[in-house]
Amino acid sequence: MQKSYIIKIDCPDEKGLVYKVSRVLCENDINIIANREFVDLENRRFFFRAEIAGVLDIDNLKSELHKTLKNSANISVSKKEKKNIVLLCTKEAHVLGDILIKHYSNELNANILAVISNYNLLEPLVRKFDIPYYHISHEGLSRVEHEKKILECLREFEVDFIVLAKYMRILTPEFVSHYRNRIINIHHSFLPAFIGANPYKQAYNRGVKIIGATAHIVNDNLDEGPIIAQDIIRVDHTFGWKDMQMAGRNVEKTVLSTALGLALEEKIFINGNKTIIF
Amino acid sequence: MQKSYIIKIDCPDEKGLVYKVSRVLCENDINIIANREFVDLENRRFFFRAEIAGVLDIDNLKSELHKTLKNSANISVSKKEKKNIVLLCTKEAHVLGDILIKHYSNELNANILAVISNYNLLEPLVRKFDIPYYHISHEGLSRVEHEKKILECLREFEVDFIVLAKYMRILTPEFVSHYRNRIINIHHSFLPAFIGANPYKQAYNRGVKIIGATAHIVNDNLDEGPIIAQDIIRVDHTFGWKDMQMAGRNVEKTVLSTALGLALEEKIFINGNKTIIF
Amino acid sequence: MQKSYIIKIDCPDEKGLVYKVSRVLCENDINIIANREFVDLENRRFFFRAEIAGVLDIDNLKSELHKTLKNSANISVSKKEKKNIVLLCTKEAHVLGDILIKHYSNELNANILAVISNYNLLEPLVRKFDIPYYHISHEGLSRVEHEKKILECLREFEVDFIVLAKYMRILTPEFVSHYRNRIINIHHSFLPAFIGANPYKQAYNRGVKIIGATAHIVNDNLDEGPIIAQDIIRVDHTFGWKDMQMAGRNVEKTVLSTALGLALEEKIFINGNKTIIF
Amino acid sequence: MQKSYIIKIDCPDEKGLVYKVSRVLCENDINIIANREFVDLENRRFFFRAEIAGVLDIDNLKSELHKTLKNSANISVSKKEKKNIVLLCTKEAHVLGDILIKHYSNELNANILAVISNYNLLEPLVRKFDIPYYHISHEGLSRVEHEKKILECLREFEVDFIVLAKYMRILTPEFVSHYRNRIINIHHSFLPAFIGANPYKQAYNRGVKIIGATAHIVNDNLDEGPIIAQDIIRVDHTFGWKDMQMAGRNVEKTVLSTALGLALEEKIFINGNKTIIF
C-alpha cells in the first residue's frame, strides 16, 4: 500500500545531486509530492528534503541513496508518523499547558511520553491529562548528579525530541551530547538580545518597544544554539517588566508551538550554528 | 485603607470636562495613577478612563460625578478586582483550553463560573479543571427555545462577561439584549473579510497571503459588532485550508486572550459600531 | 563562460518530473544552485523553479526540456538580468517616488523605461530622475479610447512588467489581455476586505484595528487577481480615515516593493486565481 | 482666532496634578481635544501631554502653569506647526530619499533646511529637490575638528531636530550636548541586539529569523539612547547578509519615518534612558 515518507539529505555540494536522488526515486517508482533544495554556497553544502509517496523499504532506499551519493552524505528516510517527545519544565504552566491542550485535542503530531520537572508544582496539571510526571528535584545535588538522574529517567523512553517547556536550568554539554540536535528550548527574548537570566527585566530596563521569543536547538553554549523560530510583540512605556512577562507568554507559546511543529515534520536541518527550515 | 478603582465616563463633549472630573477626584483626596481621554470630534463625544487610588465610597463618588457632569453622562466606578465570566463553546478545544490553563495558573483576571455548550464533547476537559459544565443541546429545539434554556442557565450566575470561545451558533438579538456589550466573540478571519461560515475555506479559495482573527463585541448583526482586537499570521501556497485552520488556532487564542484582558481591565468603550481602547 | 539562469516549469503532475528535468540539466553540465518544487494536489499540477549556472544555449535547453516533458508544459528559461518595466500612476507620489529612489540608487533589479499618467502632476518629480513621462489625459475620452492611447505608447517599449503605482483607474479586460499576468497593482487594503473605492474610509467606518495593502496580478475582475504579497499595520481609535491613509502609505510602498522584487526575480507562478511564490 | 497648541508637562508626581493643569486651562477658556497622562510609579514622575484649542498667549499660559505646579516642572507649550529639521547622511540613499519624497509630496510635517554629509555622493539627489547640501568631508580631520565644522554649519539654522539618515559616524558627547534629546538616529538592528558595526553581518552569522531596525534619541553612548520605535521583518536561510541588508532597508525607512512623525508631533517624552510615547 502507498504510504508517505520524508527524505532528508545533506552533503557536500556537487553537480547533479538532484538528478542522482530523483533517479533513485524514479527507479523505485516513488512520487515526489514536494521537495526543496538549498545550497549553502559559502560552505558548499547541499540540503534536500522531499515528501514522497510509494511502496518502499526504508533500509533499501537508504542504501541505494548511499550508494549513489558520497559516503559523507547524511541521509534519513522516515515514515510520516507521530514522533515521541518528553517535556522538561520547572514552574511555569503556560507553555506546558499549551502543549498538553494541543496533545489532548489531537492537534500535536506527537506522543507525550512523560513530563520531567525539578519541582512538583505542575504535577497536578499534568496528571489531569494522564501523562506520567517525574519529579526529579535538584536540591542537594550537583548539576551533574541531577542530570544523571534525568538521563536515567529518559533512558526508559524512545525519545525523538526533548522539549524544554520553560525548563529554567542550564544543561551541561555532557547532557546535550546524549540528544544532539534533538533538544528544543524556548527562550523568552529575541535572541541574541537579552541572553541569560531575566530577559524581561533586561528588556524593561533597556526600554525596548518590541519583545520577543526564540525557539532554538540546544547546543553546548547557553542561548547560542541554532535558531528555529522567532516572533515578537509590541510593548510600550505602560508595561512594567511583569506586564512584559505576562504579555510575552502568548508569544512564547506560539513560537515554541511553531518550532515544535517544524521539528515533528522533520523540516529542520542544522547547518553549523544555523538552521535551514524547509 | 487605600484601594484601586477604575472610573469610566463617556458623555457629549464640552469644555472643561477633565477639569470637572479631576476637581471631584481632588476634593475627595483621590489620586489619579493613569488616565486617558479621547474626544471623538466627528460625533462630539468625550471618553475618559482613569485608574485611581484612595479611600472612597463608590456610590458617593458616582453621585458627585453625576452632579458635576450632565445627566446624560455614562459613569462607572468599580473596584479593581476579578470579574465573573461564563464561557460558551461548541466542539473545538483550543480557545477554551487556553483560557482554562490561564485560569488554572492564576493568570486570568477572572473567575470562570461555568462553561455552557451545545455538545458534551468538551465536558471531560472542563471537568478536569473542576469547573461546572452545562450541556444544553440544541437538537430538536428552535433557536429561540435553545437560547431560552441557556438564558435560564446563565441567570444562575452574576455574569460580567460572556465569552464565546468558538461557539459556532448565531445568537439572536433577543439573546444579545440581555447582555448588551458584554458578549465577546472570536471570529477566525480579519473581519470584515470572510464574514460568515468557513472563513478558512474562503481564505484558501481567495489565495490570501495573510489570515487573521478578530475579537469583537457581539451585537445584533452577525460578525458586525465593534472590533476589539485583531491579529494576523502569514500563510503561503503550501497551506491547504486545513493547514490554515490549524495555523490560525494560535492567533485565535492570542487575539481572544488580548481582547478578554482588555475587557477584564475595563479598557473598552463602545462608540457606535466601534471601540475605543485605552 | 558560466552564467546564471532561471528555469520555470509548470505542467500537469506525473511521476518522475523532477528526475526528467534534472537529468536534462545534468546531461548539459548545468548546476542547480537552488530549486523549489510544489505539487498542487487538488488540481494535480506541478510547479518547478530552479536557479542554475552553466554555459548554455537557451533555445536548445528549452527544446530539450520540451522533448522530455509533455507538450502541455509551460517552460521558460531566462538569463538573470534586469527586467524592463513601465509605471502607470495618477496623482500620488509615495509609491512612485519609492520606486524612483530605488532605481536611482541601483537597488531595483529593473530598468524603468517610462512613466505614464493620466495627470501631469507627477511629471516634475519623474523628470528629476531623467525618466520619460507621458501625460495621457483621460478627459473627454471613453475608457477604451484612453486605453488605446496608452497601449500605443506602451508599444514603443519592450515591457516585461507594467506596475500600477497607484494608478486609480480600472483597466478593461481588453487592455489586460495585452499584458496577461504581467500587470502588478497595489491595492490599499488587505483584500478581499474593502474592495473598490476608498478602502481607508471603509476601514475607518468599520472600526478595524488593522489596515493593510495587497499587491496582486491584474486580471479581468477589479481587485480579484492573484495575490502576490500582503502586509498590515496596526491602527487604533485615534486614527481618522486620513490618518489611516497616511499611515497606510508606508505599507503600500513596502508591499509593492516586495511583490515587484518577486516578479523581477521570476519567483511568481500563476495557479488559477492564486499565486505560488518560490 | 482659535488655534491648536500642544502642552507637554513632566514633573515629580503628586496628588491633584491633572486637576491643577485642567483648572488653568479651563479658566483660560481652553478646550482639551485629547490628553494622555502617565505616572512612572517607580520613579514617581508625572507625564502629561494635551492637544488644546483656544485663543491664548503662550508665555502667559506657561507662566500660569509654572505658578500652579512646582518649580521643577518641565513645561512646554507650542503651536501645532511645521518643525525645522536638518538631515545628516553618508552614502546610502534609501532613508534620505524616503524623507525627500515625503517632503516633496507635502507629507512631512517639517521643513528640511539642509542636508549635511561627509561625502558628496548624495549631492545630486538632494539638489534635485532644491535643498541645500553641505559636503563637509572628514578626511584629514580629527573627529572633534570635523564636528566643529558641522556645528558651525548647523548654527546657521534654527533647528528643531537633527535626523541621522544613515549617518555612519559616531557623534561625540560634546556634539550631542548642543542638541540634547533632539538628534534622532536609525540603527539597522533591533537594539540591543547587534550593537556597533555591521549589524546585518552579525545577524547573518547568528542565524536569526527576524531582523529589525530601531529609531532612537542619540545620547552619549553609542546605540544606547532612548528607543522611540522598532519594527522587524522576517528572514530565512536563503538570505545572505547582503540580502538582509537590502530587505532591511524597507523597515529602516518605515521605522525612522514613524519616529520622526512622533517627534514632529511632540509625542515623545524622555524618561531617563527610555521614552514615553503618547
PDB file of all heavy atoms in Angstrom, chain C residues 93 97-98 101-102 104-105 107 124-125 128 249-250 253 257, chain D residues 93 97-98 101-102 104-105 107 124-125 128 246 249-250 253 257:
ATOM      1  N   ALA C  93       2.377  60.451  -5.016  1.00  0.00           N
ATOM      2  CA  ALA C  93       3.814  60.354  -5.263  1.00  0.00           C
ATOM      3  C   ALA C  93       4.507  59.262  -4.464  1.00  0.00           C
ATOM      4  O   ALA C  93       5.620  58.875  -4.805  1.00  0.00           O
ATOM      5  CB  ALA C  93       4.473  61.695  -4.934  1.00  0.00           C
ATOM      6  N   GLY C  97       7.532  57.480  -6.030  1.00  0.00           N
ATOM      7  CA  GLY C  97       8.780  58.035  -5.513  1.00  0.00           C
ATOM      8  C   GLY C  97       9.675  56.953  -4.934  1.00  0.00           C
ATOM      9  O   GLY C  97      10.895  56.966  -5.120  1.00  0.00           O
ATOM     10  N   ASP C  98       9.064  55.998  -4.229  1.00  0.00           N
ATOM     11  CA  ASP C  98       9.841  54.907  -3.632  1.00  0.00           C
ATOM     12  C   ASP C  98      10.552  54.101  -4.719  1.00  0.00           C
ATOM     13  O   ASP C  98      11.733  53.754  -4.578  1.00  0.00           O
ATOM     14  CB  ASP C  98       8.891  54.008  -2.833  1.00  0.00           C
ATOM     15  CG  ASP C  98       9.636  52.965  -2.034  1.00  0.00           C
ATOM     16  OD1 ASP C  98      10.534  53.348  -1.262  1.00  0.00           O
ATOM     17  OD2 ASP C  98       9.332  51.770  -2.183  1.00  0.00           O
ATOM     18  N   ILE C 101      13.420  56.223  -6.292  1.00  0.00           N
ATOM     19  CA  ILE C 101      14.619  56.291  -5.429  1.00  0.00           C
ATOM     20  C   ILE C 101      15.380  54.968  -5.494  1.00  0.00           C
ATOM     21  O   ILE C 101      16.610  54.950  -5.589  1.00  0.00           O
ATOM     22  CB  ILE C 101      14.221  56.614  -3.967  1.00  0.00           C
ATOM     23  CG1 ILE C 101      13.638  58.021  -3.844  1.00  0.00           C
ATOM     24  CG2 ILE C 101      15.400  56.405  -3.012  1.00  0.00           C
ATOM     25  CD1 ILE C 101      14.672  59.127  -3.900  1.00  0.00           C
ATOM     26  N   LYS C 102      14.655  53.847  -5.442  1.00  0.00           N
ATOM     27  CA  LYS C 102      15.318  52.535  -5.543  1.00  0.00           C
ATOM     28  C   LYS C 102      16.060  52.420  -6.875  1.00  0.00           C
ATOM     29  O   LYS C 102      17.177  51.922  -6.926  1.00  0.00           O
ATOM     30  CB  LYS C 102      14.284  51.406  -5.447  1.00  0.00           C
ATOM     31  CG  LYS C 102      13.850  51.090  -4.046  1.00  0.00           C
ATOM     32  CD  LYS C 102      13.379  49.632  -3.962  1.00  0.00           C
ATOM     33  CE  LYS C 102      13.014  49.274  -2.540  1.00  0.00           C
ATOM     34  NZ  LYS C 102      11.751  49.914  -2.107  1.00  0.00           N
ATOM     35  N   TYR C 104      17.129  54.881  -8.748  1.00  0.00           N
ATOM     36  CA  TYR C 104      18.251  55.825  -8.733  1.00  0.00           C
ATOM     37  C   TYR C 104      19.445  55.254  -7.965  1.00  0.00           C
ATOM     38  O   TYR C 104      20.595  55.434  -8.358  1.00  0.00           O
ATOM     39  CB  TYR C 104      17.791  57.140  -8.091  1.00  0.00           C
ATOM     40  CG  TYR C 104      18.887  58.160  -7.960  1.00  0.00           C
ATOM     41  CD1 TYR C 104      19.244  58.974  -9.034  1.00  0.00           C
ATOM     42  CD2 TYR C 104      19.575  58.316  -6.753  1.00  0.00           C
ATOM     43  CE1 TYR C 104      20.253  59.907  -8.908  1.00  0.00           C
ATOM     44  CE2 TYR C 104      20.589  59.243  -6.628  1.00  0.00           C
ATOM     45  CZ  TYR C 104      20.925  60.045  -7.712  1.00  0.00           C
ATOM     46  OH  TYR C 104      21.942  60.959  -7.593  1.00  0.00           O
ATOM     47  N   SER C 105      19.164  54.544  -6.863  1.00  0.00           N
ATOM     48  CA  SER C 105      20.248  54.001  -6.028  1.00  0.00           C
ATOM     49  C   SER C 105      20.707  52.638  -6.525  1.00  0.00           C
ATOM     50  O   SER C 105      21.434  51.945  -5.830  1.00  0.00           O
ATOM     51  CB  SER C 105      19.797  53.851  -4.575  1.00  0.00           C
ATOM     52  OG  SER C 105      18.798  54.725  -4.221  1.00  0.00           O
ATOM     53  N   GLU C 107      19.076  49.927  -6.677  1.00  0.00           N
ATOM     54  CA  GLU C 107      18.599  48.832  -5.833  1.00  0.00           C
ATOM     55  C   GLU C 107      17.452  48.073  -6.487  1.00  0.00           C
ATOM     56  O   GLU C 107      16.960  47.099  -5.935  1.00  0.00           O
ATOM     57  CB  GLU C 107      18.096  49.375  -4.490  1.00  0.00           C
ATOM     58  CG  GLU C 107      19.191  49.835  -3.579  1.00  0.00           C
ATOM     59  CD  GLU C 107      18.603  50.448  -2.320  1.00  0.00           C
ATOM     60  OE1 GLU C 107      17.514  50.018  -1.897  1.00  0.00           O
ATOM     61  OE2 GLU C 107      19.228  51.359  -1.769  1.00  0.00           O
ATOM     62  N   PRO C 124       6.990  66.688 -12.869  1.00  0.00           N
ATOM     63  CA  PRO C 124       8.237  67.302 -12.356  1.00  0.00           C
ATOM     64  C   PRO C 124       9.077  66.322 -11.537  1.00  0.00           C
ATOM     65  O   PRO C 124      10.306  66.313 -11.661  1.00  0.00           O
ATOM     66  CB  PRO C 124       7.721  68.446 -11.478  1.00  0.00           C
ATOM     67  CG  PRO C 124       6.338  68.722 -11.952  1.00  0.00           C
ATOM     68  CD  PRO C 124       5.790  67.426 -12.460  1.00  0.00           C
ATOM     69  N   LEU C 125       8.418  65.488 -10.749  1.00  0.00           N
ATOM     70  CA  LEU C 125       9.156  64.519  -9.944  1.00  0.00           C
ATOM     71  C   LEU C 125       9.884  63.508 -10.835  1.00  0.00           C
ATOM     72  O   LEU C 125      11.075  63.217 -10.641  1.00  0.00           O
ATOM     73  CB  LEU C 125       8.195  63.795  -8.988  1.00  0.00           C
ATOM     74  CG  LEU C 125       8.798  62.677  -8.141  1.00  0.00           C
ATOM     75  CD1 LEU C 125       9.868  63.216  -7.208  1.00  0.00           C
ATOM     76  CD2 LEU C 125       7.706  61.964  -7.341  1.00  0.00           C
ATOM     77  N   LYS C 128      12.937  64.846 -12.695  1.00  0.00           N
ATOM     78  CA  LYS C 128      14.156  64.967 -11.875  1.00  0.00           C
ATOM     79  C   LYS C 128      15.064  63.770 -12.072  1.00  0.00           C
ATOM     80  O   LYS C 128      16.280  63.869 -11.910  1.00  0.00           O
ATOM     81  CB  LYS C 128      13.782  65.048 -10.393  1.00  0.00           C
ATOM     82  CG  LYS C 128      13.163  66.356  -9.935  1.00  0.00           C
ATOM     83  CD  LYS C 128      12.899  66.294  -8.431  1.00  0.00           C
ATOM     84  CE  LYS C 128      11.868  67.344  -7.991  1.00  0.00           C
ATOM     85  NZ  LYS C 128      12.243  68.736  -8.309  1.00  0.00           N
ATOM     86  N   ARG C 249       0.507  54.478   3.742  1.00  0.00           N
ATOM     87  CA  ARG C 249       1.433  54.686   2.623  1.00  0.00           C
ATOM     88  C   ARG C 249       2.724  53.914   2.794  1.00  0.00           C
ATOM     89  O   ARG C 249       3.281  53.415   1.821  1.00  0.00           O
ATOM     90  CB  ARG C 249       1.712  56.182   2.453  1.00  0.00           C
ATOM     91  CG  ARG C 249       0.452  56.886   1.991  1.00  0.00           C
ATOM     92  CD  ARG C 249       0.662  58.330   1.645  1.00  0.00           C
ATOM     93  NE  ARG C 249      -0.550  58.761   0.944  1.00  0.00           N
ATOM     94  CZ  ARG C 249      -0.749  59.969   0.451  1.00  0.00           C
ATOM     95  NH1 ARG C 249       0.190  60.879   0.578  1.00  0.00           N
ATOM     96  NH2 ARG C 249      -1.871  60.267  -0.169  1.00  0.00           N
ATOM     97  N   ASN C 250       3.221  53.820   4.024  1.00  0.00           N
ATOM     98  CA  ASN C 250       4.439  53.038   4.239  1.00  0.00           C
ATOM     99  C   ASN C 250       4.240  51.581   3.858  1.00  0.00           C
ATOM    100  O   ASN C 250       5.102  50.966   3.238  1.00  0.00           O
ATOM    101  CB  ASN C 250       4.898  53.132   5.706  1.00  0.00           C
ATOM    102  CG  ASN C 250       5.627  54.428   5.992  1.00  0.00           C
ATOM    103  OD1 ASN C 250       6.329  54.959   5.142  1.00  0.00           O
ATOM    104  ND2 ASN C 250       5.448  54.941   7.198  1.00  0.00           N
ATOM    105  N   LYS C 253       3.986  51.014   0.032  1.00  0.00           N
ATOM    106  CA  LYS C 253       5.311  51.007  -0.593  1.00  0.00           C
ATOM    107  C   LYS C 253       6.023  49.680  -0.367  1.00  0.00           C
ATOM    108  O   LYS C 253       6.592  49.102  -1.287  1.00  0.00           O
ATOM    109  CB  LYS C 253       6.178  52.129  -0.005  1.00  0.00           C
ATOM    110  CG  LYS C 253       5.771  53.521  -0.402  1.00  0.00           C
ATOM    111  CD  LYS C 253       6.754  54.566   0.106  1.00  0.00           C
ATOM    112  CE  LYS C 253       6.877  54.555   1.613  1.00  0.00           C
ATOM    113  NZ  LYS C 253       7.657  55.707   2.132  1.00  0.00           N
ATOM    114  N   SER C 257       6.874  46.961  -3.236  1.00  0.00           N
ATOM    115  CA  SER C 257       8.307  46.722  -3.399  1.00  0.00           C
ATOM    116  C   SER C 257       8.631  45.225  -3.283  1.00  0.00           C
ATOM    117  O   SER C 257       9.398  44.684  -4.077  1.00  0.00           O
ATOM    118  CB  SER C 257       9.048  47.530  -2.329  1.00  0.00           C
ATOM    119  OG  SER C 257      10.369  47.117  -2.200  1.00  0.00           O
TER     120      SER C 257
ATOM    121  N   ALA D  93      21.225  56.057   0.038  1.00  0.00           N
ATOM    122  CA  ALA D  93      20.169  56.961  -0.422  1.00  0.00           C
ATOM    123  C   ALA D  93      18.777  56.610   0.098  1.00  0.00           C
ATOM    124  O   ALA D  93      17.886  57.451   0.054  1.00  0.00           O
ATOM    125  CB  ALA D  93      20.132  56.952  -1.941  1.00  0.00           C
ATOM    126  N   GLY D  97      16.256  59.429   0.736  1.00  0.00           N
ATOM    127  CA  GLY D  97      15.329  59.535  -0.383  1.00  0.00           C
ATOM    128  C   GLY D  97      13.880  59.463   0.073  1.00  0.00           C
ATOM    129  O   GLY D  97      13.020  60.208  -0.413  1.00  0.00           O
ATOM    130  N   ASP D  98      13.613  58.579   1.032  1.00  0.00           N
ATOM    131  CA  ASP D  98      12.256  58.446   1.542  1.00  0.00           C
ATOM    132  C   ASP D  98      11.779  59.757   2.172  1.00  0.00           C
ATOM    133  O   ASP D  98      10.642  60.190   1.963  1.00  0.00           O
ATOM    134  CB  ASP D  98      12.224  57.309   2.571  1.00  0.00           C
ATOM    135  CG  ASP D  98      10.827  56.971   3.026  1.00  0.00           C
ATOM    136  OD1 ASP D  98       9.984  56.702   2.148  1.00  0.00           O
ATOM    137  OD2 ASP D  98      10.565  56.977   4.247  1.00  0.00           O
ATOM    138  N   ILE D 101      11.208  62.437  -0.584  1.00  0.00           N
ATOM    139  CA  ILE D 101       9.950  62.246  -1.323  1.00  0.00           C
ATOM    140  C   ILE D 101       8.763  62.682  -0.459  1.00  0.00           C
ATOM    141  O   ILE D 101       7.837  63.348  -0.931  1.00  0.00           O
ATOM    142  CB  ILE D 101       9.782  60.759  -1.731  1.00  0.00           C
ATOM    143  CG1 ILE D 101      10.832  60.346  -2.756  1.00  0.00           C
ATOM    144  CG2 ILE D 101       8.367  60.481  -2.253  1.00  0.00           C
ATOM    145  CD1 ILE D 101      10.587  60.836  -4.156  1.00  0.00           C
ATOM    146  N   LYS D 102       8.780  62.316   0.823  1.00  0.00           N
ATOM    147  CA  LYS D 102       7.695  62.747   1.718  1.00  0.00           C
ATOM    148  C   LYS D 102       7.627  64.269   1.780  1.00  0.00           C
ATOM    149  O   LYS D 102       6.551  64.860   1.760  1.00  0.00           O
ATOM    150  CB  LYS D 102       7.938  62.197   3.135  1.00  0.00           C
ATOM    151  CG  LYS D 102       7.534  60.753   3.311  1.00  0.00           C
ATOM    152  CD  LYS D 102       7.180  60.489   4.783  1.00  0.00           C
ATOM    153  CE  LYS D 102       6.680  59.080   4.959  1.00  0.00           C
ATOM    154  NZ  LYS D 102       7.780  58.096   4.902  1.00  0.00           N
ATOM    155  N   TYR D 104       8.735  66.374  -0.459  1.00  0.00           N
ATOM    156  CA  TYR D 104       8.297  66.861  -1.766  1.00  0.00           C
ATOM    157  C   TYR D 104       6.779  66.750  -1.910  1.00  0.00           C
ATOM    158  O   TYR D 104       6.133  67.628  -2.472  1.00  0.00           O
ATOM    159  CB  TYR D 104       8.993  66.055  -2.867  1.00  0.00           C
ATOM    160  CG  TYR D 104       8.565  66.432  -4.261  1.00  0.00           C
ATOM    161  CD1 TYR D 104       9.127  67.521  -4.913  1.00  0.00           C
ATOM    162  CD2 TYR D 104       7.579  65.694  -4.922  1.00  0.00           C
ATOM    163  CE1 TYR D 104       8.726  67.878  -6.191  1.00  0.00           C
ATOM    164  CE2 TYR D 104       7.165  66.049  -6.198  1.00  0.00           C
ATOM    165  CZ  TYR D 104       7.738  67.134  -6.829  1.00  0.00           C
ATOM    166  OH  TYR D 104       7.329  67.490  -8.093  1.00  0.00           O
ATOM    167  N   SER D 105       6.213  65.669  -1.404  1.00  0.00           N
ATOM    168  CA  SER D 105       4.758  65.439  -1.543  1.00  0.00           C
ATOM    169  C   SER D 105       3.968  66.122  -0.443  1.00  0.00           C
ATOM    170  O   SER D 105       2.789  65.860  -0.273  1.00  0.00           O
ATOM    171  CB  SER D 105       4.429  63.949  -1.500  1.00  0.00           C
ATOM    172  OG  SER D 105       5.462  63.153  -1.950  1.00  0.00           O
ATOM    173  N   GLU D 107       4.019  65.568   2.685  1.00  0.00           N
ATOM    174  CA  GLU D 107       3.531  64.617   3.691  1.00  0.00           C
ATOM    175  C   GLU D 107       4.352  64.665   4.963  1.00  0.00           C
ATOM    176  O   GLU D 107       4.064  63.965   5.929  1.00  0.00           O
ATOM    177  CB  GLU D 107       3.613  63.188   3.141  1.00  0.00           C
ATOM    178  CG  GLU D 107       2.597  62.874   2.084  1.00  0.00           C
ATOM    179  CD  GLU D 107       2.806  61.480   1.526  1.00  0.00           C
ATOM    180  OE1 GLU D 107       3.272  60.604   2.266  1.00  0.00           O
ATOM    181  OE2 GLU D 107       2.489  61.278   0.343  1.00  0.00           O
ATOM    182  N   PRO D 124      23.863  65.042  -5.796  1.00  0.00           N
ATOM    183  CA  PRO D 124      22.964  65.155  -6.975  1.00  0.00           C
ATOM    184  C   PRO D 124      21.509  64.844  -6.626  1.00  0.00           C
ATOM    185  O   PRO D 124      20.600  65.509  -7.109  1.00  0.00           O
ATOM    186  CB  PRO D 124      23.530  64.110  -7.945  1.00  0.00           C
ATOM    187  CG  PRO D 124      24.943  63.897  -7.513  1.00  0.00           C
ATOM    188  CD  PRO D 124      24.974  64.111  -6.031  1.00  0.00           C
ATOM    189  N   LEU D 125      21.299  63.854  -5.767  1.00  0.00           N
ATOM    190  CA  LEU D 125      19.928  63.510  -5.377  1.00  0.00           C
ATOM    191  C   LEU D 125      19.266  64.655  -4.609  1.00  0.00           C
ATOM    192  O   LEU D 125      18.123  65.046  -4.890  1.00  0.00           O
ATOM    193  CB  LEU D 125      19.940  62.235  -4.519  1.00  0.00           C
ATOM    194  CG  LEU D 125      18.598  61.790  -3.952  1.00  0.00           C
ATOM    195  CD1 LEU D 125      17.615  61.453  -5.061  1.00  0.00           C
ATOM    196  CD2 LEU D 125      18.768  60.588  -3.016  1.00  0.00           C
ATOM    197  N   LYS D 128      18.308  67.715  -6.705  1.00  0.00           N
ATOM    198  CA  LYS D 128      17.072  67.552  -7.489  1.00  0.00           C
ATOM    199  C   LYS D 128      15.882  68.176  -6.775  1.00  0.00           C
ATOM    200  O   LYS D 128      14.924  68.613  -7.396  1.00  0.00           O
ATOM    201  CB  LYS D 128      16.763  66.062  -7.703  1.00  0.00           C
ATOM    202  CG  LYS D 128      17.666  65.340  -8.685  1.00  0.00           C
ATOM    203  CD  LYS D 128      17.214  63.878  -8.821  1.00  0.00           C
ATOM    204  CE  LYS D 128      18.303  62.995  -9.394  1.00  0.00           C
ATOM    205  NZ  LYS D 128      18.811  63.406 -10.703  1.00  0.00           N
ATOM    206  N   MET D 246      19.510  44.501   2.102  1.00  0.00           N
ATOM    207  CA  MET D 246      18.566  45.044   1.132  1.00  0.00           C
ATOM    208  C   MET D 246      17.133  44.994   1.691  1.00  0.00           C
ATOM    209  O   MET D 246      16.397  45.965   1.619  1.00  0.00           O
ATOM    210  CB  MET D 246      18.669  44.235  -0.173  1.00  0.00           C
ATOM    211  CG  MET D 246      18.222  44.978  -1.407  1.00  0.00           C
ATOM    212  SD  MET D 246      19.041  46.594  -1.642  1.00  0.00           S
ATOM    213  CE  MET D 246      20.711  46.049  -2.084  1.00  0.00           C
ATOM    214  N   ARG D 249      16.200  47.573   4.343  1.00  0.00           N
ATOM    215  CA  ARG D 249      16.045  48.989   4.010  1.00  0.00           C
ATOM    216  C   ARG D 249      14.608  49.468   4.111  1.00  0.00           C
ATOM    217  O   ARG D 249      14.352  50.601   4.507  1.00  0.00           O
ATOM    218  CB  ARG D 249      16.592  49.240   2.596  1.00  0.00           C
ATOM    219  CG  ARG D 249      18.082  49.061   2.594  1.00  0.00           C
ATOM    220  CD  ARG D 249      18.752  49.421   1.297  1.00  0.00           C
ATOM    221  NE  ARG D 249      20.195  49.464   1.577  1.00  0.00           N
ATOM    222  CZ  ARG D 249      21.130  49.741   0.696  1.00  0.00           C
ATOM    223  NH1 ARG D 249      20.791  50.021  -0.539  1.00  0.00           N
ATOM    224  NH2 ARG D 249      22.393  49.763   1.047  1.00  0.00           N
ATOM    225  N   ASN D 250      13.657  48.598   3.729  1.00  0.00           N
ATOM    226  CA  ASN D 250      12.257  48.999   3.858  1.00  0.00           C
ATOM    227  C   ASN D 250      11.896  49.273   5.306  1.00  0.00           C
ATOM    228  O   ASN D 250      11.204  50.235   5.622  1.00  0.00           O
ATOM    229  CB  ASN D 250      11.323  47.916   3.299  1.00  0.00           C
ATOM    230  CG  ASN D 250      11.231  47.969   1.787  1.00  0.00           C
ATOM    231  OD1 ASN D 250      11.299  49.043   1.191  1.00  0.00           O
ATOM    232  ND2 ASN D 250      11.088  46.814   1.167  1.00  0.00           N
ATOM    233  N   LYS D 253      13.449  52.539   6.695  1.00  0.00           N
ATOM    234  CA  LYS D 253      12.679  53.717   6.273  1.00  0.00           C
ATOM    235  C   LYS D 253      11.413  53.873   7.098  1.00  0.00           C
ATOM    236  O   LYS D 253      11.083  54.966   7.560  1.00  0.00           O
ATOM    237  CB  LYS D 253      12.285  53.577   4.794  1.00  0.00           C
ATOM    238  CG  LYS D 253      13.421  53.714   3.824  1.00  0.00           C
ATOM    239  CD  LYS D 253      12.912  53.700   2.382  1.00  0.00           C
ATOM    240  CE  LYS D 253      12.177  52.420   2.034  1.00  0.00           C
ATOM    241  NZ  LYS D 253      11.908  52.307   0.579  1.00  0.00           N
ATOM    242  N   SER D 257      10.685  56.861   9.723  1.00  0.00           N
ATOM    243  CA  SER D 257       9.527  57.682   9.368  1.00  0.00           C
ATOM    244  C   SER D 257       8.538  57.773  10.527  1.00  0.00           C
ATOM    245  O   SER D 257       8.017  58.841  10.839  1.00  0.00           O
ATOM    246  CB  SER D 257       8.875  57.073   8.127  1.00  0.00           C
ATOM    247  OG  SER D 257       7.596  57.577   7.917  1.00  0.00           O
TER     248      SER D 257
END
